Amino acid sequence: MVGSVHDAEDLTQETYLRAWKARERYDEQRASVRTWLYRIATNVCLTALEGRPRRPLPSGLGTASDDPGAPLIPDFEVPWLQPLPERYLSADRDDPQARLAARAGVRLALVAAMQVLPPRQRAVLVLRDVLGFSAAEVAGQLDTTTASVTSALQRARAAVATASPSEDGLREPAAGPTIERYVRAFEASDVDTLVTLLTADAVLEMPPVPLWYRGRADYGRFMARVFAMRPGAWRVLSTTANGQPALTAYCPDDGGGHRLHTLQVLTVTAAGIAHTVVFQDPKVFAAFELAPSL
């Protein structure tokens, strides 16, 4: 809903606080505890989002750059979308399909697309398609009609339909070999191999720098610049974010070790890596509890 791990933490605390204060008014004949809590959480989120700007990625703010030498100037005035650490995703689901559905509901591209929606449409989409509530239950949570929920859901689905590859196009868990080859190429600063692992129109973006690139050629030219700026052997560790493959990149430092450089969230399709979002924000590093050096 809010696109920020830190905001979500605060709003979760507020949800439990409101629930505790209202506990004597809870009626188990009217709703389950789960439905009741999500109603409170939804209202907390809607209140928090009033008058608040959306959290974008660079690709949501303007056209792609074709200049690999453009200045890398971060813009911390923009409330950038944040990735989600794996620890926030339930790991105790016995059903593989349920686990896949849970991860599909928090894909980075999907969350980015949600930020464009009006808050109530965003809430309907999350409650219906991610959390699996019925239209009648959502209508009760939002104090509206079932017809209104159905209409809002249709509009929301249409708005995010092109946000990311279809689930049929995503490679899970077959992304492993592609990621392994990408890691080896990255550690060796091997741009030629990197670009062979990309789709033709692959996107590279890097909040908080408001720059982004599209296509193998510009992606490769920018990576050549990065490796020229940080020559030597890199270290790359595999992790996950938003239920997707992710990498933690450490660049060589002057003392012979490696220091934290970026967290990279990858979208891997059957055709290759289609999207890489590179985060270089201290708040993101803290949320993922990343070691500052190796």
Side-chain angles (χ1 to χ4, degrees), residues 25-214:
R25 298 197 300 274
Y26 168 65
D27 183 355
E28 64 181 9
Q29 301 301 318
R30 298 182 59 187
S32 68
V33 172
R34 178 177 185 266
T35 299
W36 180 66
L37 280 173
Y38 270 113
R39 176 174 183 151
I40 297 172
T42 301
N43 287 326
V44 166
C45 287
L46 291 175
T47 299
L49 289 169
E50 290 179 0
R52 200 183 272 191
R54 69 184 178 92
R55 285 184 171 271
L57 290 174
S59 57
L61 295 180
T63 58
S65 172
D66 59 3
D67 179 10
L72 301 178
I73 302 174
D75 186 350
F76 288 105
E77 295 300 314
V78 175
W80 297 106
L81 185 71
Q82 294 180 342
L84 183 70
E86 178 70 15
R87 67 180 180 274
Y88 290 94
L89 296 177
S90 175
D92 58 358
R93 296 175 185 266
D94 294 329
D95 183 357
Q97 287 299 112
R99 288 198 300 271
L100 183 60
R103 279 159 170 71
V106 293
R107 290 198 312 270
L108 192 61
L110 179 60
V111 177
M114 285 183 184
Q115 304 307 302
V116 181
L117 299 175
R120 285 180 70 85
Q121 279 189 31
R122 203 182 304 178
V124 168
L125 186 68
V126 172
L127 290 168
R128 289 284 283 119
D129 284 0
V130 179
L131 297 171
F133 286 106
S134 69
E137 287 174 317
V138 175
Q141 289 167 321
L142 295 176
D143 291 322
T144 187
T145 65
T146 301
S148 177
V149 167
T150 301
S151 176
L153 181 61
Q154 289 174 343
R155 294 195 301 272
R157 284 173 173 169
V160 303
T162 60
S164 59
S166 67
E167 292 181 29
D168 290 341
L170 295 174
R171 296 182 62 183
E172 279 213 34
T178 300
I179 299 298
E180 291 172 5
R181 292 176 61 197
Y182 191 90
V183 167
R184 290 197 297 270
F186 202 105
E187 290 185 330
S189 304
D190 182 357
V191 175
D192 290 341
T193 298
L194 277 183
V195 297
T196 67
L197 301 171
L198 307 175
T199 61
D201 58 351
V203 168
L204 171 66
E205 48 190 329
M206 56 210 84
V209 175
L211 272 178
W212 67 286
Y213 298 92
R214 183 187 295 277

